[in-house]
Amino acid sequence: MTRQRLVLRWRHRLVEAEVVEASSSWRVRLGDRTISVSIRPLGPHVYAITVDGRRGIAHFAAEADAYHLHLDGNTYTISRGGLGAGGPGGPDPADVRAPMPGVVTRILVRTGQVVEAGEPLYVLEAMKMETVVRAPVRARVVEIRAERDSQVEGGATVVELEGLP
Amino acid sequence: MFRKVLVANRGEIAVRVLRACRELGIRTVAVYSEADEDSLHVWLADEAALIGPSEPERSYLHIGRILDAARATGAEAIHPGYGFLAENPEFAAACRDAGIAFIGPPPEVLEAVGDKARARRLGARLGIPVLPGTDHPVGDEEALPQAHRIGFPLLLKAAGGGGGRGMRVVRSPEELPQLLPDARREARAAFGTDAILLERYLERPRHIEIQVLLDRYGGAVHLAERECSIQRRHQKVMEEAPSVAVDPTLRGRLAEAALRMMREAGYVNAGTVEFLVDREGDFYFLEVNARLQVEHPVTELVTGVDLVHQQLRIAAGEALAIRQEAVTLRGWAIQARVYAEDPERDFAPSAGTVLHLQEPHLPGVRVDSGIRVGQRIPVHYDPLLSKVIAWAPDRPTAIARLRQALAAYVVLGPTTNLGFLLDVLGHPGFASGEVSTTFLADHFPDWRAREPSEEAFAVAAVLAGRAWTTGAPPQGFADPWDRLRGWRMG
């Protein structure tokens, strides 16, 4: 019998799962609930599943540390907790990395400035659309790492924040 | 008819046009940028020409390179699709000078109707209602007095193009100095000109447009209306035909105004005249779209007319074979645009590789797609991936079909708006047809994706265990999949 403990992350929600393999299925423990899962591959990325007696089709694809799951008409991107920027303690609430590659057209804050949640930090232009990146929480601007009109990669840190209580 | 046509576009519209050409026995040429080497349209064409790097200015917007490709392949005509060079008079003129047919209106007409201010003056001259506004682009000094003359709220609009780029709603005089430079900057980036018009902003209007076809011999028909009120940031998300708000009388008045305008402009080929319709059923001319529209399929499904075939026939010099009396509306069609974007991040475009794709197959459902498995979604272009269009005998059934189709649509890799579209379709206000251009802003100001259920986390946990084995498995990890394979065989 194999037993595996893993942490999954969806947005800011961390879920600890213990996966125990039974004879032809798995028992997954999430908190105090145990869910029985059986899975049969039908083809690349497509699985016939039974979850607590309910049958369905799941579509699943894995990237470096993100999993994409389509189930019951919904698509979820779930990452491995404890990996990447999130760290074991969960995602960094002050993570305001560029959501996509683009050009920083305006920087709206200065180093040292205290910003409130929702306050605009910088404007990124990509695909001819302007996207305003805002502070997710009350924070102090620690560093500004990009210049106006510079090209940045998706995921690049443009403004570094330090969360404030 | 042409023997060979070059399609100067990419994505779903290039695919749509390439297929239409093939249906008429026309050989096809695709053009592509370096970012699109693996894109679907490149593989569908008989020939494909690389025209430059990823940046649109050096590929899909580069007139010289596209004409070179047409000459090198012996294409007799160019279909521009929508966006890029579709409404560029300079491009249409360059095609004509090169002896290549441009599948669209003549350059002089593009110039006249593409200039929003000129189109507005033309409408006003013909007695078509227009909203109070400026009939020429405004300078910075002139903006405030003009704004006071028109009244608030008002809309800043880019003179050079549509799609919501360079558009801002100004609710008070104090907002103008901030929003005008914003609009100018966005307009310059999108259309190469920062010319801005001011117009009275209607609260909660419907966006209704009339599809027309005109040949070069004076033949003209309209194919009724589309309603495109479901918009976010002034960009259409869902369209339908017909409209719940248009009765035969209003349809007749709108169509008459549209055809009068297009005839007067000397328009040839497929085009659309857009209107805003208020609560009282009064309508105002908005603008002319001198091209095939993204939402053209809903018209095709309710009228049975293939608009791309008609474009090709008209451009090849054929006379319209459709009589107005023969145009009837049958059933209801609704289109949802599937974008690679994150509705939770203010609809920011998302990039990524399509890891897995399953398109819906249902009765009455059409999918116009520009993607395939393994394709990287480039960040350089419009994030539209595909369109799902459902037809049914009536509107409630069309909604039900479209919901089923979107729920069965699997795109793994880039973040899409599929979940958002499903929630919009499930909204009681959409079902009742009580929509306006602010419907999304009113009802979905802060939309959030559904959280995975515990069951979904459980499935993900088991499948993730298997995925680890393809990378670096954690220490001491035993692959449950080995056992599973044994179980399957046993």
Side-chain angles (χ1 to χ4, degrees), chain A residues 2 4 10-11 13 24 30 33 39 47 59 63 67-68 70 73 76 80 99-100 106 127-129, chain B residues 165 185 233 344-345 349 355-356 358 378-379 381 407 413 450-452 454-455 466 468 477-478 487:
Chain A
T2 59
Q4 184 64 42
W10 184 82
R11 311 285 163 83
R13 183 173 161 199
S24 65
L30 301 164
R33 183 168 169 202
I39 288 182
Y47 303 88
H59 298 258
E63 283 184 297
Y67 307 111
H68 304 279
H70 183 273
Y76 309 108
R80 273 173 69 176
M100 65 214 147
R106 270 184 299 163
M127 297 184 185
K128 305 198 165 160
M129 296 271 283
Chain B
R165 321 280 213 257
R185 186 173 38 251
R233 310 213 305 195
E344 289 183 74
R345 282 182 179 246
L355 305 170
H356 173 58
Q358 187 169 296
V379 297
Y381 315 115
R450 207 154 301 157
E451 271 197 40
E454 290 188 328
E455 288 80 1
R466 187 224 178 194
W468 279 353
F477 177 71
W487 166 68

Side-chain angles (χ1 to χ4, degrees), chain B residues 444-488:
Chain B
F444 297 89
D446 202 18
W447 182 83
R448 287 285 168 259
R450 207 154 301 157
E451 271 197 40
S453 60
E454 290 188 328
E455 288 80 1
F457 274 115
V459 171
V462 174
L463 289 167
R466 187 224 178 194
W468 279 353
T469 62
T470 59
Q475 260 194 336
F477 177 71
D479 182 4
W481 222 248
D482 288 339
R483 311 252 175 128
L484 183 72
R485 280 193 286 271
W487 166 68
R488 275 181 70 206

